Amino acid sequence: SVAEKEDMAAIAVGKKEVTRDLDHCDIPYYVSEFVEREVGNDYDSLRNLDNLIDKLSENKKQLEEQVLTVSSEVPKRIQNALKNAEDSKKSLSRLVEEETLLSESVSSHLEKAQPWMEELHVLISQVEEIERHLAYLKWISRIEELSDSIQQYLMTNNVPEAASTLAFMADLDIKLQESSCSHLLAFMRSTVKFWHKILKDKLSSDFEEVLTQLCWPFVGPPQSQAFGLPAPASAPDVYNNLEMLFCQLLKLQTSDELLTKPKQLPEKYSLPPSPPVILPIQIMLNPLQKRFKYHFTGNKQTNVLNKPEWYLTQVLMWIGNHAKFLDDKIQPILDKAGSSVNAGLEFSRALVMLILEKLAADIPCLLYDDTLFCHLVDEVLLFERELYSVHGYLSSLPSCMHILSEESCFQRWLTVEKKFALQKMDSMLSSEAAWVSQYKDITDVDEMKVPDCAETFMTLLLVITDRYKNLPTASRKLQFLGLQKELVDDFRIRLTQVMKEETRASLGFRYCAILNAVNYIATVLADWADNVFFLQLQQAELEVHVESNAVSKLQLGQLASMESSVFDEMINLLERLKHDMLTRQVDHVFREVKDAAKLYKKERWLSLPSQAEQAVMSLSSTACPMLLTLRDRLLQLEQQLCHSLFKIFWQMLAEKVDIYIYQEIIMANHFNEGGAAQLQFDMSRNLFPLFSHYCKRPENYFKHIKEACIILNLNVGSALLLKDVLQSAADNETFKPNQPSATAALNELGVYKLAQQDVEILLNLRANWPNTGK
């Protein structure tokens, strides 16, 4: 065995470590790895060399077969690929040769065909020209045929067919408008015009005759009208003729629109687009239009600038007088003819256009006369209100508000509106009854205790809203909204000025009336902010801000999410003023309470008799002035302030009184048993009940006092136990912060507001501790 070890050592010494060459296929390295893995230092494994050699020989044989297989297949694949490439090259060459031959053939053919093409092009141009001439002649022939047909129908008195044929011709005229044949268009238009005039004159004459038989128009009072009732025997024939002629005139509508250019107001009025009034309604309106122009143009006595109500009322009367006839007799004809026109609206629309023309002519003449202009606006607004509410006029149709929205007129309207509003504000604030409520004697109505000036002012704003809410564009409405905000701010400033004059009498009647006014205006504006009309204006304002980038992203988000409103800025200013005024009142009353409590502060709490020594507990005499002051001021302000304001007032006052008594009286004194009992009696049986009229549990508004009384009136045992718990909690604070036992003990006694340190101080204010001999 020693010899074997020496041989192994020799082998180990002679063994060299083989390293791998990473840049080449390193066979020695792989052989070394193989031997190391298969043999290693185990010389017994050399017995397996035969098997290992056989296995390696088998692997070598398999590898040689694979090499032979690959070396025989790869050349075949390469050869096939080369053959395919050669075939493709030959095929491409053939295609190139064929393309060359074909190209030469085509070029040769084009050279030979060029003269033929030139000759053929000339022939095609001639054919096309002849086709155009033929089409031109066909159109002329078609027009002449239609014209002859109309003539024949008229000769046989077949007016309905003539009207239908003219309508067909008018449709052809519209289709021809894209043509550049100006003479053909002129011929078509002149033919349409010729027959339209003949048919229109004939039908209009017959239609007017039927209308005369129906006593049209109905210009007298409804009760005195014949109201379209001919003699009973002829009634069916008259109404049949009315329907027939009306339908025939409807057929001329297209040609009438082609030939008649409707009168339009200048673009500065921005009237919404609307179709021309249908022809039969135009004819029915002729006598009324003549009457209107006769009475309200020129030098007639009825045409005066200071009486716009004359022509406005006249038009409303005409609309009302003819409404029933139009609904009962004309609308069924339109429905039967398949027309979507509403007879009443069509009639009203035409008469309103007379008003618009009259306003457009009159307004420049009175634009700078405030009285006349204001009167005109008032009358126009009354007219619009009745037109919409009574006669069902549509906001999408042209209206007087479009005339008032014209730039110069609108700016004048805004100026006059502001001027008269400011005058109204001056008069309402200088009135003797400005600060008195109209409903002071009616308790149910006078909950807000609103002074007359505030109610009148909000009525003024409401009237302004009613005046501008039907303006056609949001931008104009927003300008009026800006005026309302300006007026609110002006009124707030005026209230502030009057309030400053009354500062020395902050509990006086006028000061309270101003406070009620501020509260009322803020409340009403907050209610208005939820109104659909102002929500729509908020959306319009948002769109304007988005376009102009005038506000921050935060403000845009608040507007878009409806978190804010169009009146938020005004409401915030009013709320700030309200808070300042309430604070001043509370401070005033609180000063009086402090003055009245001077004797109570000096009460000898340390030497008062105990409750057992007294037959009946009674209020401390030194507390009477303080409680009387509180009682009188609460009663006074309850009568002068509205409920919501008074609630804020007494809660603010209670908070101040609570802290004052706690800090200046309780914490500044020591108490024996009798003193603690007397304090609790004064507070719970006298102070707290003063506020019991305003809430169910007034002691909850005096938590400092209530809890201090609990601590001061604990029996000695409970007080000692509480003192030990608090002391123990304080000692363990460094080890167990937020010790729950102290808080739990205080809560069990009903102490939630006072901190642990405050309770310890209060316990030290007690004088009735037992003598423990320490």
Side-chain angles (χ1 to χ4, degrees), residues 60-177:
K60 178 183 176 186
K61 184 178 179 181
Q62 290 178 357
L63 290 172
E64 287 175 349
E65 289 176 356
Q66 290 178 6
V67 169
L68 288 173
T69 303
V70 170
S71 61
S72 62
E73 287 181 355
V74 168
K76 291 180 182 179
R77 292 180 182 176
I78 294 173
Q79 188 175 1
N80 289 335
L82 289 173
K83 186 174 182 305
N84 290 336
E86 289 292 335
D87 293 343
S88 298
K89 184 177 178 182
K90 291 177 183 177
S91 176
L92 181 61
S93 298
R94 284 198 304 272
L95 288 173
V96 169
E97 290 175 1
E98 291 176 3
E99 187 272 337
T100 303
L101 291 174
L102 185 60
S103 177
E104 291 174 355
S105 175
V106 169
S107 298
S108 175
H109 178 74
L110 288 175
E111 288 177 4
K112 293 179 182 178
Q114 185 62 32
W116 301 345
M117 291 293 294
E118 292 175 357
E119 293 176 5
L120 188 60
H121 180 69
V122 172
L123 291 174
I124 290 172
S125 300
Q126 292 174 352
V127 169
E128 289 177 347
E129 185 176 0
I130 291 170
E131 286 179 343
R132 286 196 298 273
H133 291 167
L134 184 60
Y136 196 94
L137 291 173
K138 284 182 178 178
W139 271 104
I140 293 175
S141 175
R142 181 64 173 150
I143 295 168
E144 289 179 342
E145 285 177 7
L146 293 172
S147 181
D148 291 342
S149 298
I150 294 172
Q151 184 176 11
Q152 291 175 5
Y153 287 136
L154 288 177
M155 289 174 65
T156 58
N157 205 28
N158 191 350
V159 178
E161 287 298 327
S164 299
T165 307
L166 178 60
F168 181 73
M169 188 185 292
D171 290 335
L172 291 180
D173 188 325
I174 294 171
K175 292 178 181 177
L176 269 179
Q177 292 307 307

Side-chain angles (χ1 to χ4, degrees), residues 327-364:
D327 289 341
D328 293 350
K329 302 300 180 184
I330 303 301
Q331 190 61 50
I333 300 174
L334 287 167
D335 295 341
K336 188 175 180 181
S339 173
S340 60
V341 173
N342 182 293
L345 275 179
E346 196 78 351
F347 187 79
S348 301
R349 181 164 69 94
L351 289 177
V352 168
M353 286 306 299
L354 292 175
I355 299 288
L356 302 191
E357 293 168 9
K358 175 68 174 167
L359 287 175
D362 282 359
I363 285 177

Side-chain angles (χ1 to χ4, degrees), residues 510-563:
R510 180 174 288 192
Y511 191 93
C512 291
I514 296 169
L515 185 49
N516 286 329
V518 172
N519 179 66
Y520 174 70
I521 295 170
T523 303
V524 174
L525 289 180
D527 290 341
W528 285 1
D530 295 329
N531 184 282
V532 174
F533 174 72
F534 288 108
L535 289 174
Q536 291 170 343
L537 284 189
Q538 181 176 343
Q539 180 63 29
E541 191 175 46
L542 171 65
E543 293 171 1
V544 170
H545 289 326
V546 169
E547 292 175 2
S548 62
N549 294 322
V551 297
S552 67
K553 290 184 177 179
L554 174 62
Q555 289 171 313
L556 282 177
Q558 289 174 340
L559 281 170
S561 62
M562 299 298 177
E563 290 179 11

Side-chain angles (χ1 to χ4, degrees), residues 662 697 699-700 702-708 710-711 722 742-759 762:
Y662 174 71
R697 300 180 64 83
E699 63 273 13
N700 289 338
F702 297 91
K703 289 184 178 178
H704 290 89
I705 297 175
K706 183 182 77 169
E707 294 180 3
I710 291 173
I711 300 300
L722 178 61
T743 303
L746 291 173
N747 291 348
E748 188 176 348
L749 294 172
V751 177
Y752 299 92
K753 181 77 173 177
L754 298 180
Q756 180 178 329
Q757 294 83 352
D758 294 335
V759 174
L762 286 168

